Amino acid sequence: MSLEFHIEATAESARRGRLITPHGEVETPVFMPVGTLATVKGVPQDVLEDLGVEILLSNTYHLYLRPGVEQVRKLGGLHRFMAWDRSILTDSGGFQVFSLSELRKLTEEGVTFRSHLDGSSHFFSPESAMEAQIGLGADIIMAFDECTEYPAEPERVRKSMELTLRWAERSKKHFEGHKQEVPWDCAGTQALFGIVQGGMDLGLRRESAERTIEIGFPGYAIGGLSVGEPRALTREVVAATIQHLPADKPRYLMGVGTPEEIAEYARLGIDMMDCVLPTRAARHGLLFTSEGKISIKQARYACDRGPLDPKCGCRVCSRYSRAYLRHLYASNEVLAQVLNTVHNLTFYLDTMRAVRHSISLGR
Ligand SMILES: [Zn+2]
Protein backbone atom coordinates (compact mmCIF):
# COMPACT_ATOMS: atom_id res chain seq x y z
CA MET A 1 0.00 0.00 0.00
CA SER A 2 1.27 3.47 -0.77
CA LEU A 3 -1.82 5.69 -0.78
CA GLU A 4 -5.59 5.48 -0.71
CA PHE A 5 -8.00 8.34 -1.18
CA HIS A 6 -11.71 8.13 -0.41
CA ILE A 7 -14.18 10.93 -1.01
CA GLU A 8 -16.92 10.79 1.61
CA ALA A 9 -19.04 13.87 0.95
CA THR A 10 -19.25 16.62 -1.63
CA ALA A 11 -20.85 20.07 -1.71
CA GLU A 12 -20.76 21.59 -5.19
CA SER A 13 -17.05 21.48 -6.13
CA ALA A 14 -15.79 20.90 -2.57
CA ARG A 15 -14.97 17.40 -1.34
CA ARG A 16 -14.48 15.90 2.07
CA GLY A 17 -12.39 12.76 2.19
CA ARG A 18 -9.77 10.58 3.79
CA LEU A 19 -6.21 10.14 2.66
CA ILE A 20 -4.61 6.94 3.95
CA THR A 21 -0.83 6.76 3.93
CA PRO A 22 1.44 4.06 5.41
CA HIS A 23 1.60 6.26 8.55
CA GLY A 24 -2.07 6.89 9.12
CA GLU A 25 -5.20 8.66 8.05
CA VAL A 26 -5.59 12.29 7.11
CA GLU A 27 -8.96 14.02 6.92
CA THR A 28 -9.26 16.27 3.89
CA PRO A 29 -9.41 19.10 2.97
CA VAL A 30 -6.31 19.41 5.12
CA PHE A 31 -3.95 22.20 6.03
CA MET A 32 -0.39 20.89 6.43
CA PRO A 33 1.85 22.86 8.83
CA VAL A 34 5.36 23.47 7.49
CA GLY A 35 8.23 21.86 9.41
CA THR A 36 11.08 23.07 7.24
CA LEU A 37 13.99 21.46 9.10
CA ALA A 38 12.06 18.48 10.52
CA THR A 39 10.51 20.79 13.11
CA VAL A 40 7.53 23.13 13.14
CA LYS A 41 9.52 25.97 14.70
CA GLY A 42 8.81 26.26 18.42
CA VAL A 43 6.25 23.45 18.70
CA PRO A 44 7.10 19.98 20.07
CA GLN A 45 5.69 16.96 18.25
CA ASP A 46 3.37 15.94 21.14
CA VAL A 47 1.74 19.38 21.02
CA LEU A 48 1.25 19.04 17.24
CA GLU A 49 -0.51 15.71 17.93
CA ASP A 50 -2.75 17.38 20.53
CA LEU A 51 -3.62 20.10 18.03
CA GLY A 52 -4.81 17.37 15.67
CA VAL A 53 -2.08 17.66 13.03
CA GLU A 54 -2.29 14.51 10.90
CA ILE A 55 0.29 15.40 8.27
CA LEU A 56 3.12 17.91 8.10
CA LEU A 57 5.42 19.11 5.37
CA SER A 58 9.20 19.17 5.41
CA ASN A 59 11.62 20.73 2.92
CA THR A 60 14.03 18.50 1.01
CA TYR A 61 16.39 21.37 0.09
CA HIS A 62 16.92 22.38 3.72
CA LEU A 63 17.28 18.81 5.05
CA TYR A 64 19.62 17.90 2.19
CA LEU A 65 21.95 20.74 3.25
CA ARG A 66 21.51 20.14 6.98
CA PRO A 67 21.78 17.53 8.53
CA GLY A 68 22.08 15.74 5.15
CA VAL A 69 19.95 13.00 3.59
CA GLU A 70 22.41 10.18 4.34
CA GLN A 71 22.34 10.98 8.03
CA VAL A 72 18.53 11.01 8.19
CA ARG A 73 18.41 7.78 6.18
CA LYS A 74 20.85 6.04 8.55
CA LEU A 75 18.71 7.15 11.50
CA GLY A 76 15.67 5.42 10.00
CA GLY A 77 14.17 8.24 7.92
CA LEU A 78 12.32 11.39 8.93
CA HIS A 79 9.58 9.66 10.98
CA ARG A 80 12.11 8.01 13.30
CA PHE A 81 14.53 10.96 13.27
CA MET A 82 11.95 13.53 14.36
CA ALA A 83 9.85 11.08 16.43
CA TRP A 84 6.70 11.69 14.37
CA ASP A 85 4.62 8.59 13.62
CA ARG A 86 1.98 10.36 11.56
CA SER A 87 2.15 11.25 7.87
CA ILE A 88 4.79 13.49 6.29
CA LEU A 89 5.06 15.10 2.84
CA THR A 90 8.33 16.43 1.42
CA ASP A 91 8.64 18.87 -1.45
CA SER A 92 11.18 18.14 -4.19
CA GLY A 93 13.59 20.95 -3.33
CA GLY A 94 12.89 22.64 -6.66
CA PHE A 95 11.09 25.66 -5.24
CA GLN A 96 13.88 26.45 -2.75
CA VAL A 97 16.62 25.94 -5.34
CA PHE A 98 14.92 28.55 -7.49
CA SER A 99 14.00 30.95 -4.68
CA LEU A 100 16.80 30.70 -2.07
CA SER A 101 20.03 29.56 -3.65
CA GLU A 102 22.47 31.70 -5.58
CA LEU A 103 24.26 31.27 -8.89
CA ARG A 104 22.04 28.53 -10.17
CA LYS A 105 22.70 27.10 -13.58
CA LEU A 106 19.84 25.31 -15.28
CA THR A 107 20.39 22.61 -17.93
CA GLU A 108 18.28 19.77 -19.33
CA GLU A 109 20.05 17.51 -16.85
CA GLY A 110 19.22 19.52 -13.71
CA VAL A 111 20.23 22.54 -11.63
CA THR A 112 23.62 23.48 -10.19
CA PHE A 113 23.27 25.82 -7.23
CA ARG A 114 25.16 27.24 -4.30
CA SER A 115 24.02 26.62 -0.75
CA HIS A 116 22.51 29.66 0.98
CA LEU A 117 24.34 28.47 4.13
CA ASP A 118 27.98 28.25 3.10
CA GLY A 119 28.18 28.87 -0.65
CA SER A 120 29.12 25.24 -1.42
CA SER A 121 28.16 23.92 -4.86
CA HIS A 122 25.44 21.26 -5.33
CA PHE A 123 23.49 19.62 -8.13
CA PHE A 124 19.82 18.59 -8.16
CA SER A 125 18.27 16.51 -10.95
CA PRO A 126 14.99 14.60 -11.06
CA GLU A 127 16.99 11.48 -10.15
CA SER A 128 18.90 13.03 -7.24
CA ALA A 129 15.75 14.76 -5.92
CA MET A 130 14.02 11.34 -5.89
CA GLU A 131 17.03 9.75 -4.20
CA ALA A 132 16.96 12.47 -1.53
CA GLN A 133 13.22 12.11 -0.94
CA ILE A 134 13.40 8.31 -0.80
CA GLY A 135 16.23 8.64 1.75
CA LEU A 136 14.19 11.07 3.87
CA GLY A 137 11.25 8.68 3.65
CA ALA A 138 8.17 10.92 3.72
CA ASP A 139 4.84 9.26 2.89
CA ILE A 140 4.14 11.60 -0.02
CA ILE A 141 6.95 12.97 -2.17
CA MET A 142 6.95 15.38 -5.10
CA ALA A 143 8.29 15.21 -8.66
CA PHE A 144 11.21 17.57 -9.38
CA ASP A 145 9.87 20.60 -11.24
CA GLU A 146 10.93 24.02 -12.37
CA CYS A 147 8.90 26.73 -10.68
CA THR A 148 8.39 29.38 -13.35
CA GLU A 149 8.95 32.95 -12.13
CA TYR A 150 6.30 35.67 -12.43
CA PRO A 151 6.00 37.58 -14.65
CA ALA A 152 7.49 35.55 -17.51
CA GLU A 153 7.33 35.74 -21.32
CA PRO A 154 4.90 33.23 -22.94
CA GLU A 155 7.75 31.40 -24.70
CA ARG A 156 9.66 31.07 -21.44
CA VAL A 157 6.56 29.69 -19.65
CA ARG A 158 6.05 27.03 -22.34
CA LYS A 159 9.71 25.95 -22.29
CA SER A 160 9.64 25.74 -18.51
CA MET A 161 6.42 23.69 -18.58
CA GLU A 162 7.90 21.29 -21.17
CA LEU A 163 11.02 20.87 -19.01
CA THR A 164 8.87 20.11 -15.96
CA LEU A 165 7.04 17.43 -17.98
CA ARG A 166 10.30 15.77 -19.04
CA TRP A 167 11.51 15.96 -15.44
CA ALA A 168 8.20 14.45 -14.23
CA GLU A 169 8.82 11.38 -16.44
CA ARG A 170 12.37 11.05 -15.19
CA SER A 171 11.21 11.49 -11.57
CA LYS A 172 8.65 8.71 -11.96
CA LYS A 173 11.09 6.38 -13.71
CA HIS A 174 13.71 6.78 -10.99
CA PHE A 175 11.12 6.48 -8.21
CA GLU A 176 9.66 3.26 -9.64
CA GLY A 177 13.12 1.73 -9.84
CA HIS A 178 14.16 2.68 -6.30
CA LYS A 179 11.04 2.98 -4.14
CA GLN A 180 11.89 -0.21 -2.23
CA GLU A 181 14.91 1.59 -0.75
CA VAL A 182 12.79 3.69 1.63
CA PRO A 183 14.25 3.41 5.17
CA TRP A 184 11.03 2.32 6.93
CA ASP A 185 10.15 -0.51 9.20
CA CYS A 186 6.43 -0.37 8.33
CA ALA A 187 4.72 -1.91 5.31
CA GLY A 188 4.07 0.04 2.13
CA THR A 189 5.93 2.43 -0.11
CA GLN A 190 5.89 6.17 -0.69
CA ALA A 191 3.52 7.90 -3.11
CA LEU A 192 4.95 10.25 -5.76
CA PHE A 193 2.78 13.21 -6.84
CA GLY A 194 3.08 15.04 -10.16
CA ILE A 195 3.09 18.85 -10.35
CA VAL A 196 1.13 20.94 -12.84
CA GLN A 197 2.93 24.08 -14.01
CA GLY A 198 2.21 26.50 -16.89
CA GLY A 199 2.47 29.91 -15.25
CA MET A 200 -0.63 32.09 -15.44
CA ASP A 201 -1.58 30.83 -18.93
CA LEU A 202 -4.82 28.82 -18.62
CA GLY A 203 -4.19 26.98 -21.90
CA LEU A 204 -0.75 25.87 -20.76
CA ARG A 205 -2.16 24.88 -17.37
CA ARG A 206 -4.64 22.62 -19.15
CA GLU A 207 -1.93 21.11 -21.34
CA SER A 208 0.36 20.62 -18.35
CA ALA A 209 -2.45 18.91 -16.40
CA GLU A 210 -3.37 16.59 -19.30
CA ARG A 211 0.21 15.57 -20.05
CA THR A 212 1.08 15.10 -16.34
CA ILE A 213 -2.00 12.86 -15.97
CA GLU A 214 -0.81 10.91 -19.02
CA ILE A 215 2.45 10.14 -17.19
CA GLY A 216 0.28 8.97 -14.29
CA PHE A 217 0.54 9.74 -10.58
CA PRO A 218 -1.56 8.86 -7.49
CA GLY A 219 -2.04 12.59 -6.77
CA TYR A 220 -1.55 15.94 -8.47
CA ALA A 221 -0.24 19.26 -7.20
CA ILE A 222 -0.75 22.72 -8.61
CA GLY A 223 2.64 24.46 -8.41
CA GLY A 224 4.05 27.77 -9.52
CA LEU A 225 1.51 29.95 -7.69
CA SER A 226 1.99 32.50 -4.88
CA VAL A 227 5.08 33.70 -6.73
CA GLY A 228 4.10 37.38 -6.66
CA GLU A 229 0.98 37.37 -8.87
CA PRO A 230 -2.21 39.15 -7.72
CA ARG A 231 -4.45 36.99 -5.51
CA ALA A 232 -7.38 37.18 -7.91
CA LEU A 233 -5.15 35.65 -10.60
CA THR A 234 -4.08 32.82 -8.25
CA ARG A 235 -7.73 31.97 -7.70
CA GLU A 236 -8.51 32.09 -11.41
CA VAL A 237 -5.62 29.73 -12.27
CA VAL A 238 -6.57 27.32 -9.46
CA ALA A 239 -10.24 27.26 -10.51
CA ALA A 240 -9.32 26.65 -14.16
CA THR A 241 -6.67 24.00 -13.44
CA ILE A 242 -8.92 21.95 -11.13
CA GLN A 243 -11.30 21.34 -14.06
CA HIS A 244 -8.60 19.22 -15.73
CA LEU A 245 -7.58 17.12 -12.71
CA PRO A 246 -9.09 13.66 -12.10
CA ALA A 247 -11.89 13.75 -9.51
CA ASP A 248 -10.80 10.55 -7.78
CA LYS A 249 -7.21 11.65 -6.99
CA PRO A 250 -6.04 14.05 -4.25
CA ARG A 251 -5.33 17.62 -5.36
CA TYR A 252 -2.63 19.57 -3.58
CA LEU A 253 -2.25 23.35 -3.91
CA MET A 254 1.30 24.26 -2.94
CA GLY A 255 2.27 27.20 -0.73
CA VAL A 256 -0.96 29.20 -0.20
CA GLY A 257 -2.69 31.27 1.66
CA THR A 258 -4.52 33.25 4.33
CA PRO A 259 -7.31 31.55 6.38
CA GLU A 260 -9.95 33.03 4.02
CA GLU A 261 -8.01 31.80 0.98
CA ILE A 262 -7.51 28.23 2.18
CA ALA A 263 -11.26 27.98 2.89
CA GLU A 264 -11.95 29.35 -0.60
CA TYR A 265 -9.54 26.88 -2.28
CA ALA A 266 -11.18 24.00 -0.39
CA ARG A 267 -14.50 25.26 -1.75
CA LEU A 268 -13.07 25.08 -5.28
CA GLY A 269 -12.13 21.41 -4.73
CA ILE A 270 -8.57 21.45 -3.36
CA ASP A 271 -7.83 18.65 -0.85
CA MET A 272 -4.39 19.56 0.53
CA MET A 273 -2.65 22.87 1.23
CA ASP A 274 0.45 24.10 3.01
CA CYS A 275 1.72 27.55 3.89
CA VAL A 276 4.41 29.10 6.10
CA LEU A 277 2.09 32.03 6.83
CA PRO A 278 0.56 30.93 10.20
CA THR A 279 3.93 29.90 11.67
CA ARG A 280 6.02 32.72 10.19
CA ALA A 281 3.45 35.41 11.06
CA ALA A 282 3.28 34.03 14.63
CA ARG A 283 7.01 34.57 15.08
CA HIS A 284 6.45 38.20 14.04
CA GLY A 285 3.61 38.66 16.54
CA LEU A 286 0.89 38.60 13.86
CA LEU A 287 -2.05 36.53 15.02
CA PHE A 288 -5.15 35.33 13.18
CA THR A 289 -8.34 35.58 15.22
CA SER A 290 -12.10 35.37 14.68
CA GLU A 291 -12.05 39.19 14.94
CA GLY A 292 -9.40 39.60 12.26
CA LYS A 293 -5.61 39.77 12.24
CA ILE A 294 -3.96 41.46 15.22
CA SER A 295 -0.42 42.58 15.95
CA ILE A 296 0.22 41.60 19.57
CA LYS A 297 3.10 44.05 19.96
CA GLN A 298 0.75 47.05 20.00
CA ALA A 299 0.66 49.08 23.23
CA ARG A 300 -3.15 48.83 23.33
CA TYR A 301 -2.85 45.21 24.52
CA ALA A 302 -0.53 46.05 27.45
CA CYS A 303 -3.35 45.96 30.03
CA ASP A 304 -5.78 43.71 28.09
CA ARG A 305 -6.87 40.87 30.41
CA GLY A 306 -8.93 39.18 27.71
CA PRO A 307 -7.94 36.07 25.74
CA LEU A 308 -6.21 36.47 22.38
CA ASP A 309 -9.34 35.18 20.62
CA PRO A 310 -12.52 34.77 22.73
CA LYS A 311 -13.88 32.24 20.20
CA CYS A 312 -10.75 30.04 20.21
CA GLY A 313 -10.54 27.02 22.48
CA CYS A 314 -6.79 26.48 22.13
CA ARG A 315 -4.49 26.00 25.10
CA VAL A 316 -3.15 29.55 24.65
CA CYS A 317 -6.49 31.34 24.50
CA SER A 318 -7.92 29.33 27.38
CA ARG A 319 -5.03 30.20 29.70
CA TYR A 320 -3.18 33.44 28.86
CA SER A 321 -4.18 37.08 28.46
CA ARG A 322 -3.37 39.41 25.59
CA ALA A 323 -1.39 41.50 28.12
CA TYR A 324 0.85 38.54 28.95
CA LEU A 325 1.34 37.58 25.30
CA ARG A 326 2.19 41.19 24.49
CA HIS A 327 4.73 41.26 27.34
CA LEU A 328 6.39 38.03 26.14
CA TYR A 329 6.65 39.37 22.61
CA ALA A 330 7.95 42.81 23.66
CA SER A 331 10.57 41.11 25.87
CA ASN A 332 11.64 38.82 23.04
CA GLU A 333 10.91 35.74 25.15
CA VAL A 334 11.14 32.34 23.44
CA LEU A 335 7.71 31.44 24.87
CA ALA A 336 6.13 34.20 22.76
CA GLN A 337 7.04 32.29 19.58
CA VAL A 338 5.79 29.00 21.01
CA LEU A 339 2.41 30.31 22.17
CA ASN A 340 1.81 32.49 19.11
CA THR A 341 2.55 29.56 16.80
CA VAL A 342 0.27 27.18 18.73
CA HIS A 343 -2.60 29.65 18.45
CA ASN A 344 -2.12 30.44 14.74
CA LEU A 345 -1.86 26.75 13.85
CA THR A 346 -5.05 26.08 15.82
CA PHE A 347 -6.77 28.85 13.90
CA TYR A 348 -5.80 27.29 10.55
CA LEU A 349 -6.67 23.75 11.65
CA ASP A 350 -10.03 24.96 13.04
CA THR A 351 -10.72 26.72 9.73
CA MET A 352 -10.28 23.40 7.91
CA ARG A 353 -12.39 21.55 10.53
CA ALA A 354 -15.19 24.03 9.90
CA VAL A 355 -14.81 23.59 6.14
CA ARG A 356 -14.99 19.79 6.44
CA HIS A 357 -18.06 20.08 8.67
CA SER A 358 -19.79 22.38 6.14
CA ILE A 359 -19.07 19.94 3.32
CA SER A 360 -20.59 17.08 5.35
CA LEU A 361 -23.72 19.19 5.76
CA GLY A 362 -23.74 19.79 2.01
CA ARG A 363 -23.09 23.52 2.34
ZN1 LIG B 1 -6.19 30.30 20.42
Side-chain angles (χ1 to χ4, degrees):
M1 198 278 273
S2 62
L3 192 81
E4 288 177 31
F5 182 57
H6 305 286
I7 295 173
E8 296 178 333
T10 57
E12 292 178 19
S13 307
R15 320 104 70 76
R16 178 179 181 160
R18 270 184 317 136
L19 195 62
I20 305 168
T21 80
H23 287 87
E25 291 198 13
V26 178
E27 287 196 67
T28 63
V30 64
F31 174 76
M32 305 183 284
V34 178
T36 297
L37 276 164
T39 162
V40 176
K41 292 187 199 311
V43 188
Q45 274 68 321
D46 58 311
V47 176
L48 294 173
E49 287 163 2
D50 287 350
L51 297 183
V53 176
E54 293 174 325
I55 180 169
L56 49 82
L57 179 146
S58 225
N59 295 120
T60 298
Y61 168 87
H62 290 281
L63 292 167
Y64 162 88
L65 292 177
R66 192 171 55 184
V69 171
E70 190 49 27
Q71 183 155 342
V72 175
R73 195 188 62 76
K74 277 193 203 143
L75 292 165
L78 268 181
H79 293 91
R80 271 271 185 91
F81 178 53
M82 67 183 287
W84 176 257
D85 288 337
R86 299 184 180 180
S87 302
I88 305 176
L89 180 149
T90 49
D91 62 6
S92 70
F95 182 78
Q96 277 78 21
V97 166
F98 292 104
S99 62
L100 281 182
S101 67
E102 290 164 28
L103 296 168
R104 43 176 198 266
K105 188 170 162 267
L106 178 75
T107 64
E108 182 67 32
E109 201 44 39
V111 197
T112 307
F113 61 95
R114 284 193 188 280
S115 158
H116 73 291
L117 296 174
D118 62 5
S120 54
S121 183
H122 302 270
F123 178 71
F124 267 3
S125 65
E127 292 76 18
S128 70
M130 288 306 104
E131 202 177 301
Q133 290 186 88
I134 292 169
L136 294 172
D139 298 276
I140 299 173
I141 68 175
M142 305 302 299
F144 190 62
D145 63 329
E146 189 194 17
C147 181
T148 320
E149 69 284 354
Y150 175 84
E153 293 298 319
E155 197 179 327
R156 152 84 190 128
V157 181
R158 166 163 283 283
K159 276 192 173 164
S160 174
M161 182 203 79
E162 297 275 359
L163 181 66
T164 287
L165 284 164
R166 292 192 295 276
W167 284 0
E169 283 194 47
R170 282 168 55 189
S171 293
K172 183 177 174 182
K173 183 162 180 249
H174 189 90
F175 174 70
E176 291 300 333
H178 295 267
K179 62 184 178 187
Q180 302 304 336
E181 294 163 20
V182 68
W184 286 349
D185 39 20
C186 68
T189 53
Q190 299 170 289
L192 170 66
F193 279 21
I195 305 180
V196 174
Q197 290 284 350
M200 307 302 153
D201 182 319
L202 302 188
L204 287 183
R205 283 278 168 183
R206 176 185 186 150
E207 187 179 337
S208 175
E210 288 171 352
R211 291 171 62 186
T212 307
I213 292 162
E214 233 167 80
I215 298 168
F217 295 95
Y220 296 92
I222 303 177
L225 293 174
S226 282
V227 289
E229 78 281 8
R231 291 301 167 119
L233 187 53
T234 316
R235 190 195 177 284
E236 189 188 334
V237 174
V238 171
T241 307
I242 281 180
Q243 310 296 324
H244 310 296
L245 296 178
D248 61 343
K249 298 276 173 18
R251 305 159 173 170
Y252 164 29
L253 178 57
M254 307 178 83
V256 294
T258 63
E260 298 76 29
E261 286 164 353
I262 61 168
E264 170 66 7
Y265 295 133
R267 202 180 68 79
L268 292 174
I270 292 291
D271 306 300
M272 307 161 68
M273 284 167 270
D274 76 281
C275 191
V276 293
L277 186 59
T279 42
R280 185 176 288 165
R283 299 197 297 277
H284 291 100
L286 295 171
L287 301 164
F288 297 96
T289 78
S290 56
E291 296 166 349
K293 203 162 84 173
I294 73 171
S295 171
I296 199 66
K297 66 182 144 196
Q298 291 177 359
R300 58 198 273 213
Y301 301 120
C303 294
D304 191 333
R305 293 162 190 259
L308 176 54
D309 181 349
K311 291 210 179 112
C312 177
C314 86
R315 57 172 75 200
V316 179
C317 293
S318 53
R319 182 157 193 164
Y320 305 102
S321 66
R322 288 177 168 180
Y324 181 63
L325 293 173
R326 194 246 171 199
H327 157 71
L328 292 179
Y329 187 81
S331 314
N332 209 14
E333 282 292 330
V334 171
L335 189 58
Q337 299 201 2
V338 176
L339 299 183
N340 292 348
T341 304
V342 166
H343 167 78
N344 269 1
L345 278 181
T346 303
F347 193 80
Y348 267 65
L349 296 165
D350 281 351
T351 300
M352 281 295 111
R353 280 187 197 102
V355 166
R356 290 195 296 267
H357 185 64
S358 296
I359 297 170
S360 295
L361 298 175
R363 289 204 292 257

